[in-house]
Structure formats: structure tokens, C-alpha cells
Coordinates of all heavy atoms in Angstrom, one line a residue:
M1 N 148.6 66.0 21.5 CA 148.9 66.9 22.6 C 148.8 66.1 23.8 O 148.0 65.2 24.0 CB 147.8 68.1 22.7 CG 148.0 69.0 21.6 SD 147.1 70.5 22.0 CE 147.5 71.5 20.6
K2 N 149.7 66.4 24.8 CA 149.8 65.8 26.1 C 149.5 66.7 27.2 O 150.3 67.7 27.4 CB 151.2 65.1 26.2 CG 151.6 64.2 25.1 CD 152.3 62.9 25.6 CE 152.7 62.0 24.5 NZ 151.6 61.2 24.1
L3 N 148.5 66.4 28.0 CA 148.1 67.3 29.1 C 149.2 67.5 30.1 O 149.4 68.6 30.5 CB 146.8 66.7 29.7 CG 146.2 67.6 30.7 CD1 145.8 68.9 30.2 CD2 144.9 67.0 31.3
P4 N 150.0 66.4 30.5 CA 151.0 66.7 31.4 C 152.1 67.7 30.9 O 152.7 68.5 31.7 CB 151.6 65.3 31.8 CG 150.6 64.3 31.3 CD 149.8 65.0 30.2
V5 N 152.4 67.6 29.7 CA 153.3 68.5 29.1 C 152.8 69.9 29.1 O 153.5 70.9 29.4 CB 153.8 68.0 27.7 CG1 154.7 69.0 27.0 CG2 154.5 66.6 27.7
I6 N 151.5 70.1 28.7 CA 150.9 71.4 28.6 C 150.9 72.0 30.0 O 151.2 73.2 30.2 CB 149.6 71.4 28.0 CG1 149.7 70.9 26.5 CG2 148.8 72.7 28.2 CD1 148.4 70.7 25.8
K7 N 150.5 71.2 31.0 CA 150.5 71.6 32.4 C 151.9 72.1 32.9 O 152.0 73.1 33.5 CB 150.0 70.5 33.3 CG 149.7 70.9 34.7 CD 149.1 69.8 35.5 CE 148.9 70.1 37.0 NZ 148.3 69.0 37.7
H8 N 153.0 71.3 32.5 CA 154.2 71.7 32.9 C 154.7 73.0 32.3 O 155.3 73.8 32.9 CB 155.3 70.5 32.6 CG 156.7 70.8 33.1 ND1 157.1 70.5 34.3 CD2 157.8 71.3 32.4 CE1 158.3 70.8 34.5 NE2 158.8 71.3 33.3
L9 N 154.4 73.1 31.0 CA 154.8 74.3 30.3 C 154.0 75.6 30.8 O 154.5 76.6 30.9 CB 154.5 74.2 28.7 CG 155.5 73.3 28.0 CD1 154.9 72.9 26.6 CD2 156.8 73.9 27.9
T10 N 152.8 75.3 31.2 CA 152.0 76.4 31.7 C 152.6 76.9 33.0 O 152.7 78.1 33.3 CB 150.5 75.9 32.0 OG1 150.0 75.5 30.8 CG2 149.7 77.0 32.5
A11 N 153.1 76.0 33.9 CA 153.8 76.3 35.1 C 155.1 77.1 34.8 O 155.4 78.1 35.5 CB 154.1 75.1 35.9
F12 N 155.8 76.7 33.8 CA 157.0 77.3 33.3 C 156.7 78.8 32.9 O 157.4 79.7 33.3 CB 157.7 76.5 32.2 CG 159.0 77.2 31.6 CD1 160.1 77.1 32.2 CD2 158.8 78.1 30.5 CE1 161.2 77.8 31.7 CE2 159.9 78.7 30.0 CZ 161.1 78.5 30.6
I13 N 155.7 78.9 32.2 CA 155.3 80.3 31.7 C 154.9 81.2 32.8 O 155.3 82.3 32.9 CB 154.1 80.2 30.7 CG1 154.5 79.6 29.4 CG2 153.5 81.6 30.4 CD1 153.4 79.2 28.4
A14 N 154.2 80.6 33.9 CA 153.8 81.4 35.1 C 155.1 81.8 35.8 O 155.1 82.9 36.4 CB 152.9 80.6 35.9
E15 N 156.1 80.9 35.9 CA 157.3 81.2 36.7 C 158.2 82.1 36.0 O 159.0 82.9 36.6 CB 158.0 80.0 37.1 CG 157.2 79.0 38.0 CD 157.9 77.7 38.3 OE1 159.1 77.5 37.8 OE2 157.2 76.8 38.9
N16 N 158.2 82.1 34.6 CA 159.2 82.8 33.9 C 158.4 83.9 33.0 O 158.0 84.9 33.6 CB 160.0 81.9 33.0 CG 160.8 80.9 33.9 OD1 161.8 81.3 34.4 ND2 160.4 79.7 34.0
D17 N 158.4 83.6 31.7 CA 157.7 84.5 30.9 C 157.3 83.8 29.6 O 158.0 82.9 29.1 CB 158.7 85.6 30.5 CG 158.1 86.8 29.7 OD1 157.1 86.6 29.0 OD2 158.5 87.9 30.0
E18 N 156.2 84.1 29.0 CA 155.7 83.4 27.8 C 156.6 83.6 26.6 O 156.6 82.9 25.7 CB 154.3 83.8 27.5 CG 154.1 85.2 27.1 CD 152.6 85.5 26.8 OE1 151.7 84.9 27.5 OE2 152.3 86.3 25.9
D19 N 157.4 84.7 26.7 CA 158.4 85.0 25.5 C 159.4 83.9 25.3 O 159.8 83.7 24.2 CB 159.2 86.3 25.8 CG 158.2 87.5 25.7 OD1 157.2 87.4 25.0 OD2 158.5 88.6 26.2
F20 N 159.7 83.2 26.4 CA 160.7 82.0 26.2 C 160.0 81.0 25.3 O 160.7 80.4 24.5 CB 161.0 81.4 27.6 CG 162.0 82.2 28.4 CD1 161.5 82.9 29.6 CD2 163.3 82.4 28.1 CE1 162.3 83.6 30.4 CE2 164.2 83.1 28.8 CZ 163.7 83.8 30.0
V21 N 158.8 80.7 25.6 CA 158.0 79.7 24.8 C 157.8 80.1 23.4 O 158.0 79.4 22.5 CB 156.7 79.3 25.5 CG1 155.9 78.4 24.7 CG2 157.0 78.7 26.9
I22 N 157.5 81.4 23.3 CA 157.2 81.9 21.9 C 158.5 81.9 21.1 O 158.5 81.5 19.9 CB 156.7 83.4 22.0 CG1 155.3 83.4 22.6 CG2 156.7 84.1 20.6 CD1 154.8 84.8 22.9
E23 N 159.6 82.3 21.7 CA 160.9 82.2 21.0 C 161.3 80.8 20.7 O 161.9 80.5 19.6 CB 162.0 82.9 21.8 CG 161.8 84.4 21.8 CD 162.7 85.1 22.8 OE1 163.5 84.5 23.4 OE2 162.6 86.4 22.9
T24 N 161.0 79.8 21.5 CA 161.3 78.5 21.3 C 160.4 77.9 20.1 O 160.9 77.2 19.3 CB 161.0 77.6 22.6 OG1 161.8 78.1 23.6 CG2 161.3 76.1 22.3
I25 N 159.2 78.3 20.1 CA 158.3 77.9 19.0 C 158.8 78.4 17.6 O 159.0 77.7 16.7 CB 156.8 78.4 19.2 CG1 156.1 77.7 20.3 CG2 156.0 78.4 17.9 CD1 154.8 78.3 20.8
E26 N 159.3 79.6 17.7 CA 159.9 80.3 16.4 C 161.1 79.5 16.0 O 161.3 79.2 14.8 CB 160.2 81.7 16.7 CG 159.0 82.6 16.8 CD 159.3 84.0 17.3 OE1 160.4 84.3 17.6 OE2 158.3 84.8 17.3
T27 N 161.9 79.1 17.0 CA 163.2 78.4 16.6 C 162.8 76.9 16.0 O 163.3 76.5 15.1 CB 164.0 78.1 17.9 OG1 164.3 79.4 18.5 CG2 165.3 77.4 17.7
L28 N 161.8 76.3 16.7 CA 161.5 74.9 16.2 C 160.8 75.0 14.9 O 161.0 74.2 14.0 CB 160.5 74.3 17.2 CG 161.1 73.8 18.6 CD1 160.0 73.5 19.6 CD2 162.1 72.8 18.3
E29 N 160.0 76.1 14.7 CA 159.5 76.2 13.3 C 160.5 76.5 12.3 O 160.3 76.0 11.2 CB 158.4 77.4 13.3 CG 157.1 77.1 14.0 CD 156.2 78.3 14.1 OE1 156.6 79.4 14.0 OE2 155.0 77.9 14.5
A30 N 161.5 77.2 12.6 CA 162.7 77.4 11.7 C 163.4 76.0 11.4 O 163.8 75.8 10.3 CB 163.6 78.4 12.2
L31 N 163.5 75.2 12.4 CA 164.1 74.0 12.2 C 163.4 73.0 11.3 O 164.0 72.2 10.6 CB 164.3 73.2 13.5 CG 165.5 73.7 14.4 CD1 165.4 72.9 15.8 CD2 166.7 73.4 13.7
T32 N 162.1 73.2 11.1 CA 161.3 72.4 10.2 C 161.7 72.6 8.8 O 161.3 71.8 7.9 CB 159.8 72.6 10.4 OG1 159.4 73.9 10.1 CG2 159.3 72.3 11.8
E33 N 162.4 73.6 8.5 CA 162.8 73.9 7.1 C 164.1 73.2 6.7 O 164.5 73.2 5.6 CB 163.1 75.4 7.0 CG 161.9 76.3 7.3 CD 160.7 76.0 6.4 OE1 161.0 75.8 5.1 OE2 159.6 76.0 6.9
V34 N 164.7 72.4 7.6 CA 165.9 71.7 7.4 C 165.5 70.5 6.4 O 164.7 69.6 6.8 CB 166.6 71.2 8.6 CG1 167.8 70.3 8.3 CG2 167.0 72.3 9.5
P35 N 166.0 70.5 5.2 CA 165.5 69.5 4.3 C 166.0 68.0 4.6 O 165.3 67.1 4.2 CB 166.3 69.9 3.0 CG 167.3 70.8 3.4 CD 167.0 71.5 4.6
S36 N 167.0 67.8 5.4 CA 167.4 66.4 5.8 C 166.7 65.9 6.9 O 166.9 64.7 7.3 CB 168.9 66.5 6.0 OG 169.2 67.3 7.2
L37 N 165.7 66.6 7.6 CA 165.0 66.0 8.6 C 164.1 64.9 8.2 O 163.5 64.9 7.1 CB 164.1 67.0 9.3 CG 164.8 68.1 10.3 CD1 163.9 69.1 10.8 CD2 165.5 67.4 11.4
K38 N 164.0 63.8 9.0 CA 163.2 62.7 8.7 C 161.7 63.0 9.1 O 161.5 63.8 9.9 CB 163.7 61.5 9.4 CG 165.1 61.0 9.0 CD 165.6 59.9 9.8 CE 167.1 59.6 9.3 NZ 167.7 58.7 10.4
D39 N 160.8 62.3 8.6 CA 159.4 62.4 9.0 C 159.2 62.3 10.5 O 158.4 63.0 11.1 CB 158.5 61.4 8.3 CG 158.3 61.8 6.8 OD1 158.7 63.0 6.4 OD2 157.9 60.9 6.1
E40 N 159.9 61.3 11.1 CA 159.7 61.1 12.5 C 160.2 62.3 13.3 O 159.6 62.7 14.3 CB 160.5 59.8 13.0 CG 160.1 58.5 12.4 CD 160.6 58.3 11.0 OE1 161.6 58.9 10.7 OE2 160.0 57.5 10.2
E41 N 161.3 62.9 12.8 CA 161.8 64.1 13.5 C 160.8 65.3 13.4 O 160.6 66.0 14.4 CB 163.2 64.4 13.0 CG 164.2 63.3 13.3 CD 165.5 63.5 12.5 OE1 165.5 64.0 11.3 OE2 166.6 63.1 13.0
L42 N 160.3 65.4 12.2 CA 159.3 66.5 12.0 C 158.1 66.3 12.9 O 157.5 67.2 13.5 CB 158.9 66.5 10.6 CG 159.9 67.1 9.7 CD1 159.5 66.9 8.2 CD2 160.1 68.6 9.9
D43 N 157.7 65.0 13.1 CA 156.5 64.7 14.0 C 156.8 65.1 15.4 O 155.9 65.7 16.1 CB 156.2 63.2 13.9 CG 155.6 62.7 12.5 OD1 155.2 63.6 11.8 OD2 155.6 61.6 12.3
V44 N 158.1 64.9 15.8 CA 158.4 65.2 17.3 C 158.4 66.8 17.4 O 157.8 67.3 18.4 CB 159.8 64.6 17.6 CG1 160.3 65.2 18.9 CG2 159.7 63.1 17.7
I45 N 159.0 67.4 16.4 CA 159.0 68.9 16.5 C 157.6 69.5 16.4 O 157.2 70.3 17.2 CB 159.8 69.4 15.3 CG1 161.3 69.1 15.6 CG2 159.7 71.0 15.2 CD1 162.2 69.4 14.4
G46 N 156.8 68.9 15.6 CA 155.3 69.3 15.5 C 154.6 69.1 16.8 O 153.8 69.9 17.2
E47 N 154.9 68.0 17.5 CA 154.3 67.7 18.7 C 154.7 68.8 19.8 O 153.8 69.2 20.6 CB 154.6 66.2 19.2 CG 153.9 65.9 20.5 CD 152.4 65.7 20.4 OE1 151.9 65.5 19.3 OE2 151.8 65.6 21.5
L48 N 155.9 69.0 19.8 CA 156.4 70.0 20.7 C 155.8 71.4 20.5 O 155.4 72.1 21.4 CB 158.0 70.1 20.7 CG 158.7 69.0 21.2 CD1 160.2 69.1 20.8 CD2 158.6 68.9 22.7
I49 N 155.7 71.8 19.2 CA 155.1 73.1 18.9 C 153.7 73.1 19.3 O 153.2 74.1 19.9 CB 155.3 73.4 17.4 CG1 156.8 73.6 17.0 CG2 154.4 74.5 16.9 CD1 157.0 73.6 15.5
S50 N 153.0 72.1 19.0 CA 151.5 72.0 19.4 C 151.3 72.1 20.9 O 150.4 72.7 21.4 CB 150.8 70.8 18.8 OG 151.3 69.7 19.3
N51 N 152.1 71.4 21.7 CA 152.0 71.5 23.1 C 152.4 72.9 23.6 O 151.7 73.4 24.5 CB 153.0 70.4 23.8 CG 152.4 69.1 23.7 OD1 151.2 68.8 24.0 ND2 153.3 68.1 23.3
M52 N 153.3 73.5 23.0 CA 153.7 75.0 23.4 C 152.6 75.9 23.1 O 152.2 76.8 24.0 CB 155.0 75.3 22.8 CG 156.1 74.6 23.4 SD 157.7 75.2 22.6 CE 158.8 73.9 23.2
Y53 N 152.0 75.8 21.9 CA 150.8 76.6 21.6 C 149.7 76.4 22.6 O 149.0 77.3 23.0 CB 150.4 76.4 20.2 CG 151.1 77.3 19.1 CD1 151.8 76.6 18.1 CD2 151.1 78.6 19.2 CE1 152.5 77.4 17.2 CE2 151.8 79.4 18.2 CZ 152.5 78.8 17.2 OH 153.1 79.5 16.3
G54 N 149.5 75.1 22.9 CA 148.4 74.7 23.8 C 148.7 75.4 25.2 O 147.7 75.9 25.8
A55 N 149.9 75.3 25.7 CA 150.3 75.9 26.9 C 150.0 77.5 27.0 O 149.5 78.1 27.9 CB 151.7 75.6 27.3
L56 N 150.3 78.1 25.8 CA 150.1 79.6 25.7 C 148.6 79.8 25.8 O 148.1 80.8 26.3 CB 150.7 80.1 24.4 CG 152.2 80.1 24.3 CD1 152.6 80.5 22.9 CD2 152.8 81.2 25.3
E57 N 147.7 79.0 25.1 CA 146.3 79.2 25.2 C 145.8 79.0 26.6 O 144.9 79.8 27.1 CB 145.6 78.2 24.3 CG 145.7 78.5 22.9 CD 144.9 79.7 22.4 OE1 143.8 79.9 22.9 OE2 145.4 80.5 21.7
V58 N 146.2 77.9 27.3 CA 145.9 77.7 28.6 C 146.3 78.9 29.6 O 145.5 79.3 30.4 CB 146.4 76.4 29.2 CG1 146.2 76.2 30.7 CG2 145.8 75.2 28.4
Q59 N 147.5 79.4 29.4 CA 148.0 80.5 30.2 C 147.1 81.7 29.9 O 146.9 82.5 30.8 CB 149.5 80.8 29.9 CG 150.1 81.9 30.8 CD 150.1 81.4 32.3 OE1 150.1 80.2 32.6 NE2 150.0 82.4 33.1
K60 N 146.7 81.9 28.7 CA 145.9 83.1 28.4 C 144.5 83.0 29.2 O 144.1 84.0 29.7 CB 145.6 83.1 26.9 CG 144.7 84.2 26.5 CD 144.4 84.2 25.0 CE 143.4 85.1 24.5 NZ 143.1 85.0 23.1
S61 N 144.0 81.8 29.3 CA 142.7 81.6 30.0 C 143.0 81.9 31.5 O 142.1 82.5 32.2 CB 142.2 80.2 29.8 OG 141.8 80.0 28.5
I62 N 144.1 81.4 32.0 CA 144.4 81.6 33.4 C 144.5 83.1 33.7 O 144.1 83.6 34.7 CB 145.7 80.8 33.8 CG1 145.4 79.3 33.8 CG2 146.2 81.2 35.2 CD1 146.7 78.4 33.8
K63 N 145.2 83.8 32.8 CA 145.4 85.3 33.0 C 144.0 86.0 33.0 O 143.8 87.0 33.6 CB 146.1 85.9 31.8 CG 147.7 85.7 32.0 CD 148.3 86.4 30.9 CE 149.8 86.3 31.0 NZ 150.5 87.0 29.9
E64 N 143.0 85.4 32.3 CA 141.7 85.9 32.2 C 140.8 85.6 33.5 O 139.7 85.9 33.5 CB 140.9 85.5 31.0 CG 141.6 86.1 29.7 CD 141.0 85.5 28.5 OE1 140.2 84.5 28.5 OE2 141.4 86.0 27.3
G65 N 141.5 84.8 34.4 CA 140.8 84.5 35.6 C 140.2 83.1 35.8 O 139.6 82.7 36.8
V66 N 140.4 82.3 34.8 CA 140.0 80.9 34.8 C 140.9 80.1 35.7 O 142.1 80.1 35.5 CB 139.9 80.3 33.4 CG1 139.4 78.8 33.5 CG2 138.9 81.1 32.5
P67 N 140.4 79.2 36.6 CA 141.3 78.4 37.4 C 142.1 77.5 36.5 O 141.6 77.0 35.5 CB 140.4 77.7 38.3 CG 139.1 78.4 38.4 CD 139.0 79.1 37.1
Q68 N 143.3 77.1 36.9 CA 144.2 76.3 36.0 C 143.6 75.0 35.7 O 143.5 74.7 34.4 CB 145.6 76.1 36.8 CG 146.4 75.2 35.9 CD 147.8 74.9 36.6 OE1 147.9 75.0 37.7 NE2 148.7 74.3 35.8
K69 N 143.0 74.2 36.6 CA 142.4 73.0 36.2 C 141.3 73.2 35.3 O 141.2 72.3 34.3 CB 141.9 72.3 37.5 CG 141.4 70.9 37.3 CD 141.0 70.3 38.6 CE 140.5 68.8 38.4 NZ 140.2 68.1 39.6
E70 N 140.4 74.1 35.5 CA 139.4 74.4 34.5 C 139.9 74.8 33.1 O 139.4 74.4 32.1 CB 138.4 75.4 35.1 CG 137.2 75.7 34.3 CD 136.3 76.7 34.9 OE1 136.2 76.8 36.1 OE2 135.7 77.4 34.1
A71 N 140.9 75.6 33.1 CA 141.5 76.0 31.9 C 142.1 74.9 31.1 O 141.9 74.8 29.9 CB 142.6 77.2 32.1
L72 N 142.8 74.0 31.8 CA 143.3 72.8 31.2 C 142.3 71.9 30.6 O 142.4 71.4 29.5 CB 144.2 72.0 32.2 CG 145.6 72.6 32.6 CD1 146.1 72.1 33.8 CD2 146.6 72.5 31.3
N73 N 141.3 71.6 31.4 CA 140.2 70.7 31.0 C 139.4 71.3 29.8 O 139.0 70.6 28.8 CB 139.2 70.4 32.2 CG 139.9 69.5 33.2 OD1 140.8 68.7 32.9 ND2 139.4 69.6 34.4
S74 N 139.2 72.6 29.9 CA 138.5 73.3 28.7 C 139.2 73.2 27.5 O 138.7 72.9 26.4 CB 138.1 74.7 29.1 OG 137.6 75.4 28.0
F75 N 140.5 73.5 27.5 CA 141.4 73.4 26.3 C 141.4 72.0 25.8 O 141.2 71.8 24.6 CB 142.8 73.8 26.7 CG 143.7 73.7 25.6 CD1 143.7 74.6 24.5 CD2 144.6 72.6 25.4 CE1 144.5 74.5 23.4 CE2 145.5 72.5 24.4 CZ 145.4 73.4 23.4
M76 N 141.5 70.9 26.6 CA 141.6 69.6 26.1 C 140.2 69.2 25.5 O 140.2 68.5 24.5 CB 142.0 68.6 27.2 CG 143.5 68.8 27.6 SD 144.6 68.7 26.3 CE 144.5 67.1 25.7
K77 N 139.1 69.7 26.1 CA 137.8 69.3 25.5 C 137.7 70.0 24.1 O 137.1 69.3 23.3 CB 136.7 69.9 26.4 CG 136.4 69.1 27.6 CD 135.4 69.6 28.5 CE 135.2 68.9 29.8 NZ 134.2 69.4 30.6
R78 N 138.2 71.2 23.9 CA 138.2 71.8 22.6 C 139.0 71.1 21.6 O 138.6 70.8 20.5 CB 138.7 73.3 22.6 CG 137.7 74.2 23.1 CD 138.2 75.7 23.0 NE 139.6 75.7 23.4 CZ 140.3 76.8 23.7 NH1 139.7 78.0 23.7 NH2 141.6 76.8 23.9
V79 N 140.2 70.6 22.1 CA 141.1 69.8 21.2 C 140.4 68.5 20.8 O 140.4 68.2 19.6 CB 142.4 69.6 21.8 CG1 143.2 68.6 21.1 CG2 143.2 70.8 22.1
L80 N 139.9 67.8 21.7 CA 139.2 66.6 21.5 C 138.0 66.7 20.6 O 137.7 65.9 19.8 CB 139.0 65.8 22.7 CG 140.2 65.3 23.5 CD1 139.7 64.7 24.9 CD2 140.9 64.3 22.7
G81 N 137.3 67.8 20.9 CA 136.1 68.1 20.1 C 136.4 68.4 18.6 O 135.7 68.1 17.7
S82 N 137.6 69.1 18.4 CA 138.0 69.4 17.0 C 138.5 68.1 16.3 O 138.4 68.0 15.0 CB 139.0 70.5 17.0 OG 140.2 70.0 17.5
I83 N 139.0 67.2 17.0 CA 139.5 65.9 16.4 C 138.4 65.1 16.0 O 138.4 64.4 15.0 CB 140.4 65.2 17.4 CG1 141.7 65.9 17.7 CG2 140.7 63.8 16.9 CD1 142.6 65.4 18.8
D84 N 137.2 65.0 16.9 CA 136.1 64.2 16.5 C 135.3 64.7 15.3 O 134.6 63.9 14.7 CB 135.1 64.2 17.7 CG 135.7 63.5 18.8 OD1 136.6 62.6 18.7 OD2 135.3 63.7 20.0
K85 N 135.5 66.0 14.9 CA 134.7 66.4 13.8 C 135.3 66.3 12.5 O 136.3 65.9 12.2 CB 134.5 68.0 14.0 CG 133.6 68.3 15.2 CD 133.4 69.7 15.4 CE 132.5 69.9 16.6 NZ 132.2 71.3 16.9

């Protein structure tokens, strides 16, 4: 996950609508079923999907009243904490 990408996507969601991101996730998930995709291509799609899910989580926190910077930092701490375990 890349914090700058999540931050950018969070801004996109705030300016537009989270439905765009949700529909994009669904499209990318459908693409993972293409049998001819290489592992590297699947890795890129997976990274995009995880960043989009991350942005949705951050946006949810922001809607609940958490300041953006705090929401981003909290999310990344949770991600890094889950990786360490």
C-alpha cells in the first residue's frame, strides 16, 4: 500500500463519490479472472485494489469526524501492525 496513492484516492472520493471507486474495485476483481494474466500483472491489479480499499477505509474514518491526516496515519499504523504480526 502506498500512502500517497491512498491520499489521492481519498481526495477523489471526497470530490466525487465512493461509488466510482467501488465499481472500479469490482471491475479490477473481475479482471483477475482472466487466465492469461501474468503474475506481475496480477500483482499490479492487487496493489491497486488494496489501495482503493484503503482509501475507502480512510474516507470512512473522515466521515466519522477524524481529521484526514490522523485517519491516514491511523490506517497505515494498522496496516504496518498487521504486517509485523
Side-chain angles (χ1 to χ4, degrees):
M1 290 194 176
K2 302 219 182 279
L3 188 59
V5 174
I6 293 172
K7 187 176 181 180
H8 186 80
L9 286 168
T10 303
F12 176 85
I13 293 168
E15 292 173 12
N16 297 281
D17 192 326
E18 67 183 31
D19 289 339
F20 287 110
V21 174
I22 292 168
E23 290 171 0
T24 302
I25 290 170
E26 291 170 355
T27 303
L28 290 171
E29 287 175 342
L31 280 174
T32 63
E33 301 299 321
V34 175
S36 61
L37 284 178
K38 298 175 185 168
D39 288 342
E40 297 83 20
E41 295 166 327
L42 285 171
D43 289 344
V44 170
I45 292 171
E47 182 70 18
L48 289 168
I49 290 170
S50 66
N51 283 314
M52 289 180 190
Y53 274 123
L56 290 171
E57 286 291 317
V58 170
Q59 185 63 28
K60 180 181 174 187
S61 294
I62 292 170
K63 279 184 181 177
E64 294 172 352
V66 178
Q68 181 183 11
K69 184 175 181 178
E70 186 179 327
L72 286 164
N73 288 336
S74 175
F75 176 76
M76 290 309 291
K77 285 180 185 176
R78 280 190 319 199
V79 169
L80 293 174
S82 69
I83 293 171
D84 290 340
K85 293 181 180 177

